[in-house]
Amino acid sequence: MRIDVISIFPDYLAALDLSLIGKARAAGLLDLAVHDLRDFTTDRHRTVDDTPYGGGAGMVMKPEPWAQALTAVLDVGPDADADDAPLSEDAVPGSGVAADRPVLVIPSPAGEVFRQATAHELAEADHLVFACGRYEGIDERVAEWAADRFAVRPLSIGDYVLNGGEVATLAMIEAIVRLIPGVIGNPGSLTEESHADGLLEYPMYTKPASWRGRDVPDVLLSGDHGRIARWRREEQLARTAARRPDLLPPVC
Ligand SMILES: COc1ccc(Cn2ccc3ccc(-c4cc(N)[nH]n4)cc32)cc1
């Protein structure tokens, strides 16, 4: 997988050099590059923003630097040798993730909510491009213009407002890249975590068996794997009902 990130704060993405993602890059499981949007401006002040048409507070990101940057990442990414053949249909119809069309993720408070299912979908893509906006956002015409060459996906990581797209991009890249085979040492853990089966994960314990007067549930020390599995499922359902009733499967 190839990932390109475009931002006016490229240092914000330095965390992508660390830990599992850093190791995946070193192992050749992931090809990732971060680009400074200001490198795609042409004026002396490297201007990326201007006042909003129609008035209103704040500034809006100018479209041309984005068009220059997005064109550049298409020319260096895995699509670079793509001939001018018409873009293929979606690999999964309606998914927006086509066999050879790069996905342009635009973090936005106005985007579709990014969920674990979205992470699985985007982990199948060959090329992801993240456009990290700042100010009040990016001129709307960029997403319209980009739709000819990208599957454009405005995505939100939750119903709260950040100052820009970088934190959302870090969260989404981490959620996506950990699903790539070989990135996580123990892939079995991917199937037992929250949201993997639609429910919240069960409580976890490790040594010591008794800690400050609090004991690990006896069932987990019983060695009865069937009983342990049943207890864990009951705990998942109880925890999900208490904290995220919206995730509970419908009662038939
Ligand atoms: C018009 O209202 C606003 C619009 C944008 C902003 C700040 N901002 C600028 C770019 C950008 C990209 C993503 C996000 C974001 C994503 C999530 N889930 N929360 N916040 C926020 C962003 C403030 C206000």
Side-chain angles (χ1 to χ4, degrees):
M1 176 186 283
R2 163 92 183 183
I3 297 178
D4 288 285
V5 183
I6 304 165
S7 167
I8 60 171
F9 295 123
D11 292 349
Y12 228 110
L13 288 303
L16 297 174
D17 296 331
L18 306 174
S19 188
L20 285 178
I21 294 176
K23 291 187 173 70
R25 295 170 72 180
L29 293 171
L30 173 66
D31 180 16
L32 187 146
V34 179
H35 311 270
D36 186 340
L37 181 68
R38 292 190 193 276
D39 291 345
F40 299 92
T41 59
T42 52
D43 66 304
R44 188 157 61 94
H45 299 293
R46 294 161 58 91
T47 308
V48 294
D49 65 307
D50 205 332
T51 54
Y53 278 116
M59 302 291 274
V60 175
M61 300 193 90
K62 296 169 64 64
E64 186 56 24
W66 281 106
Q68 295 294 332
L70 291 170
T71 302
V73 298
L74 278 179
D75 293 346
V76 298
D79 338 285
D81 56 357
D83 56 29
D84 292 335
L87 294 173
S88 70
E89 290 303 310
D90 283 352
V92 178
S95 73
V97 177
D100 60 0
R101 194 152 71 140
V103 181
L104 174 60
V105 176
I106 306 178
S108 166
E112 165 207 344
V113 176
F114 177 86
R115 301 183 189 286
Q116 190 66 17
T118 322
H120 279 285
E121 177 197 346
L122 296 183
E124 296 298 316
D126 293 328
H127 189 191
L128 298 176
V129 180
F130 288 81
C132 299
R134 278 275 158 169
Y135 307 100
E136 298 300 307
I138 302 171
D139 185 301
E140 188 63 21
R141 291 169 292 179
V142 172
E144 294 166 7
W145 166 85
D148 287 349
R149 300 296 304 272
F150 297 85
V152 180
R153 300 290 295 274
L155 292 177
S156 164
I157 61 167
D159 294 338
Y160 43 84
V161 182
L162 302 167
N163 288 330
E166 288 80 6
V167 166
T169 291
L170 284 169
M172 289 189 275
I173 288 178
E174 183 155 314
I176 293 162
V177 170
R178 68 196 301 272
L179 299 176
I180 295 173
V183 171
I184 292 276
N186 170 19
S189 62
L190 291 176
T191 58
E192 299 199 343
E193 53 196 22
S194 277
H195 304 292
D197 59 0
L199 298 176
L200 302 187
E201 85 247 19
Y202 47 77
M204 304 277 187
Y205 301 86
T206 188
K207 300 180 185 65
S210 187
W211 173 74
R212 296 192 178 203
R214 297 173 187 280
D215 298 341
V216 170
D218 288 337
V219 61
L220 298 180
L221 310 177
S222 68
D224 180 338
H225 297 295
R227 195 172 151 229
I228 290 169
R230 287 191 298 277
W231 178 87
R232 284 175 165 175
R233 182 69 178 177
E234 288 160 10
E235 287 296 313
Q236 276 188 279
L237 289 166
R239 178 175 272 195
T240 305
R243 299 179 185 175
R244 289 293 306 274
D246 58 297
L247 294 178
L248 284 175
V251 177
C252 301

